[in-house]
Amino acid sequence: MSHLTYAEAGVIGLLQGITELFPISSLGHAVLVPAVIGGQWAQDLDVSKAESPYLAFIVGLHVATALAMITFFWRDWLRIIGAFFASLRHVIAPEPGTRRFEPQGTDQTLAWMIILATIPVGLAGLALEHTFRTIFSRPLLTSSFLFVNGLILLAGERARRRGAAAESEQVAFDVQMTSERQRATVGAGGHGPIGGGGRHSSGQRAFKQEQASLAVQADRRLVGVGFMNAFWLGAVQILALMPGISRDGIVMVSGMFRGLSRQDAARFSFLLSAPVILAAGVLKIPDLTGPLGAGIRGQVLFGSALSFVGAYLALRFLVRYFSNPARTLTPFAIYCLVAGAGCFIFLSVR
């Protein structure tokens, strides 16, 4: 049986956490990195094998990545989950003048949009995951898909340029509205912490309040795309079953083609990713407790811890990165084009 070393677990775990959130395909890197290194790595880390400990390892990494995403957006998820359960009261006992299945308000609508968008990729994952993994998880095919992912990102960036002026105006409006709310809070008697917290603590609180306010404004715009567009944005995640195609990248680009700004499209992709990744990992947890997980559970914990840290730091970076209209998807596209073409050539001639 193949083995999994702590070095392999650490490298792949950290890489998984980072690349899952960057639009450069974590599964693609999980296939290509061992293939490029070769030797024992290629034998130990072959995801296309039907009975591979590497697959059980990746399951643990996905759970850790999803937990990092939920931790990072914990305020948003508390608000969204609370709104979902509140909406159930309307389903059971709707208020007079409202339809039984009509969500009330932004948070309830967003909660049901996320659920609806998760259904197509969830069903496709259950039906096609094994087929896609065993057929398409070949290094040469994966490098080709990674190159295609770069082209997709470039197409999205080209679409964004057509609406760059409107996006800049939106960002400026968000900042203005947030500043006005903060001034209104201070005018109403709000104040920073007294004593030991100091200026740094006050600054951190102001930053968190600003981010919370921006998130609420973004969610109001997201629900404007409607349930059908949400379903379609969820469905395009099916393409990410092919190693090399990024889940977040394809949702961001599709969202921009549907009229979302890059910042809002990125937020929706992050919110969609957490339940999909977590559900996929939880369904495969028995692999870790069964024969496939025998002898590698320590490595799984080690790699998962690094995956959690990598995903959390990647989210912090990307949220700030996409909040600046001057930043683009082009660097990620160039990376995918270069890495995809380079791996294809290297693996073909080796």
Side-chain angles (χ1 to χ4, degrees):
M1 178 178 288
S2 298
H3 187 57
L4 181 68
T5 68
Y6 276 91
E8 294 167 344
V11 170
I12 299 298
L14 186 59
L15 198 62
Q16 154 69 26
I18 295 172
T19 56
E20 184 67 55
L21 283 309
F22 280 74
I24 56 176
S25 178
S26 62
L27 184 55
H29 284 73
V31 173
L32 289 175
V33 169
V36 170
I37 295 176
Q40 192 63 36
W41 282 62
Q43 296 180 35
D44 294 345
L45 311 180
D46 185 358
V47 73
S48 64
K49 289 183 179 178
E51 299 294 332
S52 171
Y54 188 35
L55 180 59
F57 173 66
I58 291 179
V59 168
L61 300 187
H62 275 76
V63 173
T65 303
L67 291 177
M69 299 174 72
I70 293 171
T71 300
F72 185 87
F73 290 113
W74 69 270
R75 293 179 181 84
D76 303 277
W77 281 113
L78 281 181
R79 176 165 51 84
I80 293 169
I81 293 172
F84 166 73
F85 284 108
S87 73
L88 296 180
R89 292 199 298 268
H90 297 294
V91 173
I92 298 171
E95 297 178 0
T98 63
R99 290 177 292 182
R100 182 172 293 273
F101 293 101
E102 183 178 15
Q104 305 297 306
T106 297
D107 293 338
Q108 291 186 21
T109 303
L110 182 61
W112 283 101
M113 285 174 63
I114 292 173
I115 292 172
L116 182 65
T118 303
I119 291 174
V121 68
L123 294 176
L126 289 174
L128 302 173
E129 182 273 336
H130 177 78
T131 302
F132 272 61
R133 178 173 51 82
T134 55
I135 293 178
F136 293 116
S137 294
R138 308 293 179 181
L140 285 177
L141 273 177
T142 299
S143 60
S144 301
F145 289 141
L146 187 61
F147 186 88
V148 171
N149 189 69
L151 297 178
I152 292 172
L153 296 180
L154 286 179
E157 189 57 38
R158 184 175 181 180
R160 187 196 71 87
R161 290 195 188 102
R162 293 197 293 266
E167 182 175 339
S168 297
E169 291 176 2
Q170 174 189 297
V171 172
F173 177 78
D174 287 348
V175 172
Q176 179 183 353
M177 292 295 294
T178 300
S179 299
E180 290 177 357
R181 286 194 181 95
Q182 290 176 346
R183 285 196 295 269
T185 301
V186 173
H191 54 80
I194 300 175
R199 185 177 302 173
H200 175 72
S201 178
S202 178
Q204 288 293 322
R205 175 177 296 183
F207 175 76
K208 291 178 181 178
Q209 290 174 345
E210 178 184 357
Q211 292 302 306
S213 178
L214 292 175
V216 171
Q217 293 176 53
D219 291 346
R220 289 172 181 166
R221 291 189 295 270
L222 287 175
V223 299
V225 304
F227 285 101
M228 288 304 299
N229 278 328
F231 180 85
W232 186 81
L233 291 175
V236 298
Q237 295 180 99
I238 296 172
L239 295 175
L241 292 175
M242 294 184 289
I245 303 297
S246 166
R247 183 193 315 277
D248 288 312
I250 196 72
V251 173
M252 275 191 274
V253 170
S254 300
M256 288 189 286
F257 275 107
R258 291 288 171 166
L260 290 174
S261 68
R262 186 186 54 208
Q263 184 178 5
D264 289 349
R267 174 172 173 78
F268 195 52
S269 74
F270 293 150
L271 291 177
L272 282 185
S273 293
V276 172
I277 297 170
L278 183 61
V282 170
L283 287 175
K284 293 281 189 177
I285 283 294
D287 289 346
L288 289 175
T289 59
L292 288 181
I296 63 167
R297 295 189 180 98
Q299 293 91 317
V300 170
L301 290 175
F302 177 61
S304 296
L306 291 179
S307 183
F308 180 95
V309 172
Y312 190 88
L313 294 178
L315 267 176
R316 286 191 60 180
F317 172 82
L318 288 171
V319 167
R320 290 177 180 270
Y321 182 89
F322 288 125
S323 66
N324 186 341
R327 305 282 173 78
T328 72
L329 291 171
T330 303
F332 307 112
I334 293 174
Y335 169 81
C336 291
L337 293 173
V338 173
C343 288
F344 186 90
I345 295 171
F346 175 77
L347 294 171
S348 296
V349 301
R350 187 173 64 179

